[in-house]
Structures are given as C-alpha cells and as structure tokens.
Amino acid sequence: SIWQILEVMVLSALAPLSLGFHAPMTAVAPASRAAVRMQVGYVAPTAPGVAETPLARGNAPLGIDSSILVQGGSLRTWSYRSPSVEQVQVVLSTEGRPLDADIELWQGPDNTPCKMRVYVENGQLRPFSAVVETPRGPNTIAIRNIGQIEFPLAANVVAENVDAPSAECLDTRMTIQGGALRTYPFDPTVDSVQVLLKTDGRPLNARIELLQGPNNNKQVIELYTEDGLDRPFFCILETPGSGNVVRVVNTAPVEFPMTAGVVPNSINQQMSYDAVLGGDVVLGGDAGW
C-alpha cells in the first residue's frame, strides 16, 4: 500500500543519520591487541591435533622445588596411604633465620612412634635433612613450626631418592651406653657428616649436637623412637667452616644402649691450608713502634 511505501522511504532516509552517531572504527596495532589479550587472559589457540599444555593455557610451568612455607606457630602434614612407602626424607630450611620445629610420625590414632625436636641457628647455612622410617602404612608426617611468626621455614617431604648411610657409616658404629656421650671432631675440609643411630629393638632416646667452638650449639636434635631397630634414625649435618664437633648423647637409662655411626659425607677438595695474608692476625699487637 501507499503507507508501506512511505514508511520504507522514511527509514531509508534516517539510516545515514543513525550511523553518524557512532565513533569511527580505527585500526588496532598488533602491540595493543597483544596487550589487550594479556589483560583479559586470552588463550592462544593450539594447532589441530596438538594436546594443550599448561604453558599453552597461559599458566606458568611447575617448578622443581616442592617446598611448602610453614609460618611460625603453624602445622603442616604429609600423608602416605600406600604401605610401599617405607621411608621418607624431611628437609627443613630458612632464609638465614633460626629454625625451631617439631617433627612427628603419626601411625594410627594417638600413636606417635617417632618424634624429634630440631633447632638450627641458621637454616640457610645448615639446612636440616633427616630420613624417617615409615613401615606398615598409612603414615603421616607432621611438621610444626614452634618459632615465632617472624621465623617461617620451608619444609619438603619426599619419598623418592631418599639418602642412605654409606658402608663406612654402617661398619664404624660404636656402642653408647645409657647416659653416656661421644664426640666426633671433624677436619675443616668436611662439608657434611652422616649420623646413624640404632638399637637392638629397644626404644631410642638421643640428643645430637653440632658444636663449633666451646658450648656453641649450631644445631640440636632431640630424638625419640619407640623401636631403634625397626625405625633407625639417619640424618646429614652440614658442617661448614672449621672447629666442627658432633656430640651424641644417649639420654635413655643404662638399660637402653644404642649404636652410633658418625662419618664424613662430603669433603671439600678445594680447601686450602695456606695462610691468608691480611686475615685476623695483627702483627705487633699492642706494642708501640
């Protein structure tokens, strides 16, 4: 009809006017387009037939270090349900601050067959590394940072590639009677030391100290194990510098002897015995010229 023809003519006349209200379209530079894609989390398309990897999805690749930060006063647990996990290695470290922690092995309700208290003066220079026996799973490793909130620590518990004592450490074990102690001095070339404690099946109560100077404790481990034959204790102590002495104390009564093997683990072949000019030696002392 005539009204339909008039309506079409009016709409065609108004169409250019409505388009004039829009801002003109400008070309987007490739750099700007990339920046917009980064801001909105743009996902780059993958090629056909190629599996999408975490890196292709825009996520950072997983790091090798699996340490967990444990703040002061906090508790973290690692559970292993498989009975094939017979031992785990616990590694604790800090960024140079003191380390004070409790480590416990939980097996069943209200059963703690192994526990230890660890103190390290400098967790970066001397990180703590010990092997905890976990036979007959399931087992749970509990690590509690009993330091203040200003002293966090990094904890890592692994069940693969666990350290093992050397043949020398097994062959040189000596008996320490209840209440007795033994000291093991080491040369400055020794960078780390192996410590193995074991009993004939009786409970194991011991105190391991790393001294550097008279009564200067750099690292202290207070240990309890309900069965020193089924759950022996093995650790590696870092011994940088000179004057390092490892002291092992059997804190149990005389009815509970134990055997201890303490031998060097790694030796620094680059250590020099020559005098260092300009060191701490003052020529002449207080004498006047």
Side-chain angles (χ1 to χ4, degrees):
S1 63
I2 187 171
W3 294 106
Q4 293 178 349
I5 296 173
L6 291 174
E7 183 178 1
V8 171
M9 294 175 63
V10 171
L11 291 175
S12 61
L14 292 177
L17 297 177
S18 61
L19 292 174
F21 289 100
H22 293 279
M25 298 296 292
T26 57
V28 180
S32 302
R33 190 180 299 111
V36 173
R37 290 176 176 178
M38 292 177 63
Q39 292 178 4
V40 301
Y42 173 78
V43 179
T46 57
V50 178
E52 192 177 23
T53 62
L55 189 58
R57 292 195 300 267
N59 298 331
L62 297 177
I64 299 176
D65 188 9
S66 59
S67 299
I68 296 179
L69 186 65
V70 183
Q71 299 290 344
S74 300
L75 171 69
R76 293 293 183 271
T77 59
W78 286 257
S79 298
Y80 296 91
R81 297 183 178 180
S82 174
S84 61
V85 179
E86 296 184 349
Q87 57 183 2
V88 297
Q89 185 164 355
V90 180
V91 180
L92 306 180
S93 62
T94 65
E95 294 182 349
R97 303 186 180 186
L99 187 154
D100 200 355
D102 274 337
I103 304 174
E104 294 182 351
L105 172 64
W106 297 345
Q107 189 178 43
D110 299 329
N111 182 25
T112 308
C114 179
K115 58 183 177 180
M116 64 190 78
R117 168 79 177 270
V118 179
Y119 167 78
V120 182
E121 183 185 69
N122 188 334
Q124 185 179 28
L125 187 62
R126 300 177 182 86
F128 171 78
S129 176
V131 177
V132 179
E133 300 292 333
T134 58
R136 299 176 299 278
N139 296 276
T140 297
I141 300 293
I143 300 177
R144 184 186 301 273
N145 186 352
I146 58 178
Q148 299 179 0
I149 194 172
E150 295 85 4
F151 302 100
L153 62 87
N156 192 13
V157 180
V158 295
E160 299 177 354
N161 300 324
V162 177
D163 292 335
S166 62
E168 181 186 2
C169 186
L170 294 172
D171 295 338
T172 59
R173 289 182 298 161
M174 302 180 65
T175 301
I176 302 178
Q177 299 294 339
L181 65 88
R182 285 188 181 275
T183 58
Y184 303 85
F186 288 95
D187 196 76
T189 58
V190 178
D191 284 343
S192 60
V193 173
Q194 298 182 18
V195 179
L196 174 64
L197 303 183
K198 204 171 183 179
T199 67
D200 58 356
R202 307 182 191 188
L204 173 63
N205 287 272
R207 177 184 175 95
I208 305 171
E209 301 176 359
L210 174 61
L211 306 174
Q212 196 173 28
N215 296 325
N216 186 11
N217 288 326
K218 298 297 183 180
Q219 186 168 345
V220 180
I221 304 172
E222 294 180 353
L223 171 69
Y224 164 75
T225 300
E226 68 174 9
D227 189 341
L229 181 63
D230 195 24
R231 305 176 188 273
F233 176 76
F234 176 71
C235 70
I236 295 179
L237 304 179
E238 300 293 332
T239 58
S242 60
N244 291 287
V245 177
V246 176
R247 179 165 61 187
V248 180
V249 184
N250 188 349
T251 57
V254 70
E255 295 85 5
F256 301 93
M258 70 176 184
T259 59
V262 183
V263 297
N265 179 63
S266 61
I267 298 178
N268 184 7
Q269 302 292 345
Q270 306 298 328
M271 178 68 68
S272 176
Y273 290 94
D274 298 333
V276 179
L277 295 179
D280 297 333
V281 179
V282 179
L283 297 178
D286 296 331
W289 294 94

